[in-house]
Amino acid sequence: KNYTALYSMELAFQRLRDVNSEIKLPSPPGRGLCERLTTYPWKKKLVRKPEIKPRIGSEIRKRPRIDDIMIGTWNMRTMLRTGSVKELTQIICKYGIDILAVQETRWYGQDICDMGNLTVFKSGKSSGVKEFGTAFLVNKVYKPNVIDFRAVNERICALKLKTKFYNIWFINAHAPTEEKLDDIKDEFYNKLITLYDSFASSDIKILLGDLNAQIGKESYYRGTIGSHSLHNICNDNGKRLVDFACSRNMIISSTCFPHKAIHKRTWRSPDGKTFSQIDHVVVDKRAASS
């Protein structure tokens, strides 16, 4: 019986080898299988999830991941001059600016519109003399990341950007000049404080624009200002800006980095002899290292 069983098994193996040699089935991987014995490679049935079609318009809502973003501020004096829009677009492309805060656009109304590869978020007067006006120019790549825009008046507007870990509020401000009355300056900073306090505490706040403030190098302001300002003593607008930054735990970061004096200048008098550093960027302390 044992010989008969072995002979029948040998015949079965021979037939299996003949079949495998004809159809050339691959040998399955694994240990413990002899070279002469080959089993049939059964295919595993993969369970596939049903295909879910995207919702209509979802491709518009996809937000790109933001690692590094270039922001800037510029007082254009006027955007009504012929060729100013083209000039501004070329400057943005040249320096690779993603978000630009512009002051003195002299545009009417509060609106959101497209301008080539840029999206314009503007805030201006509804009527009257064409003066002041603020706006954000955002690269269209980051337009899906913009989740809120607040137009306060012709001097203040804010833009909220969605990033990976937190939201960022950019505040575009054009402060009154040094010779303006105290009531006008108080009204400006009261609206700025009201806007700032309306934001969530978890959001990062960045104030930038033409603040008409000369920041000095006083030691008792150290911690809020840096030691690399163009000026030695704060003027009245500078003290107001420092007080605002101190009360909101912010740093005037535009005075914290060493540069040549010629690179610190942001305003030049018409005679070309007087220079000032009056445009600033103010950042929350907890985000200053970023």
Side-chain angles (χ1 to χ4, degrees):
K1 292 181 180 180
N2 294 336
Y3 286 113
T4 305
L6 291 174
Y7 179 72
S8 61
M9 290 178 63
E10 184 65 26
L11 288 178
F13 293 156
Q14 183 63 36
R15 291 175 183 175
L16 187 58
R17 285 195 299 271
D18 295 342
V19 172
N20 290 344
S21 62
E22 291 178 3
I23 63 178
K24 297 181 180 180
L25 292 177
S27 176
R31 298 179 180 178
L33 297 176
C34 63
E35 186 178 358
R36 297 173 60 188
L37 179 62
T38 307
T39 58
Y40 184 78
W42 295 99
K43 293 183 179 180
K44 296 182 180 179
K45 294 183 179 180
L46 300 178
V47 180
R48 296 183 179 180
K49 295 182 179 180
E51 184 179 357
I52 301 176
K53 295 183 179 181
R55 294 170 57 186
I56 298 175
S58 62
E59 65 279 356
I60 302 176
R61 291 190 293 270
K62 290 181 179 179
R63 301 189 179 102
R65 178 179 175 180
I66 297 179
D67 293 325
D68 295 322
I69 185 168
M70 180 74 73
I71 64 174
T73 175
W74 192 4
N75 188 329
M76 283 292 295
R77 309 296 289 175
T78 180
M79 293 288 287
L80 303 178
R81 186 179 66 254
T82 304
S84 60
V85 176
K86 183 179 180 181
E87 177 189 1
L88 186 62
T89 305
Q90 291 175 351
I91 292 295
I92 291 174
C93 296
K94 178 181 178 181
Y95 292 102
I97 301 174
D98 301 312
I99 297 179
L100 181 65
V102 184
Q103 300 84 40
E104 283 201 74
T105 59
R106 302 180 189 269
W107 284 336
Y108 274 148
Q110 302 172 353
D111 195 10
I112 301 174
C113 57
D114 292 332
M115 188 177 64
N117 293 327
L118 302 172
T119 302
V120 181
F121 300 81
K122 63 179 182 178
S123 173
K125 300 174 69 174
S126 58
S127 60
V129 182
K130 289 185 177 180
E131 59 181 357
F132 307 123
T134 56
F136 281 102
L137 275 67
V138 182
N139 193 321
K140 273 192 174 181
V141 176
Y142 299 104
K143 184 179 179 181
N145 294 75
V146 178
I147 56 180
D148 196 4
F149 173 67
R150 297 186 189 180
V152 179
N153 55 18
E154 66 274 9
R155 287 188 177 273
I156 302 173
C157 65
L159 188 75
K160 188 177 183 180
L161 202 69
K162 176 71 175 179
T163 60
K164 184 177 180 181
F165 297 106
Y166 43 75
N167 301 326
I168 303 177
W169 275 105
F170 296 99
I171 306 172
N172 184 3
H174 182 198
T177 54
E178 182 70 13
E179 66 273 6
K180 294 295 183 181
L181 298 176
D182 291 340
D183 295 339
I184 299 177
K185 297 179 182 179
D186 293 339
E187 182 183 1
F188 169 80
Y189 276 98
N190 288 336
K191 289 184 178 180
L192 183 61
I193 291 172
T194 303
L195 177 66
Y196 183 96
D197 293 341
S198 65
F199 301 151
S201 59
S202 58
D203 296 341
I204 302 298
K205 294 92 173 175
I206 299 177
L207 170 65
L208 68 164
D210 185 2
L211 298 168
N212 285 305
Q214 294 182 2
I215 306 300
K217 301 177 182 177
E218 292 89 346
S219 59
Y220 45 83
Y221 288 146
R222 200 55 50 84
T224 302
I225 64 175
S227 58
H228 301 284
S229 177
L230 183 64
H231 309 283
N232 294 320
I233 301 174
C234 295
N235 62 358
D236 182 61
N237 279 344
K239 293 177 182 178
R240 290 175 181 269
L241 181 60
V242 171
D243 291 341
F244 171 78
C246 288
S247 62
R248 297 300 179 271
N249 199 25
M250 303 182 79
I251 291 178
I252 304 177
S253 60
S254 51
T255 63
C256 295
F257 300 97
H259 295 289
K260 292 182 179 180
I262 192 174
H263 296 154
K264 297 177 183 178
R265 304 166 180 173
T266 62
W267 178 82
R268 182 183 61 185
S269 63
D271 60 2
K273 296 180 180 179
T274 305
F275 299 91
S276 295
Q277 184 185 16
I278 56 176
D279 294 19
H280 296 283
V281 178
V282 189
V283 187
D284 282 340
K285 273 189 177 181
R286 63 191 179 96
S289 60
S290 298

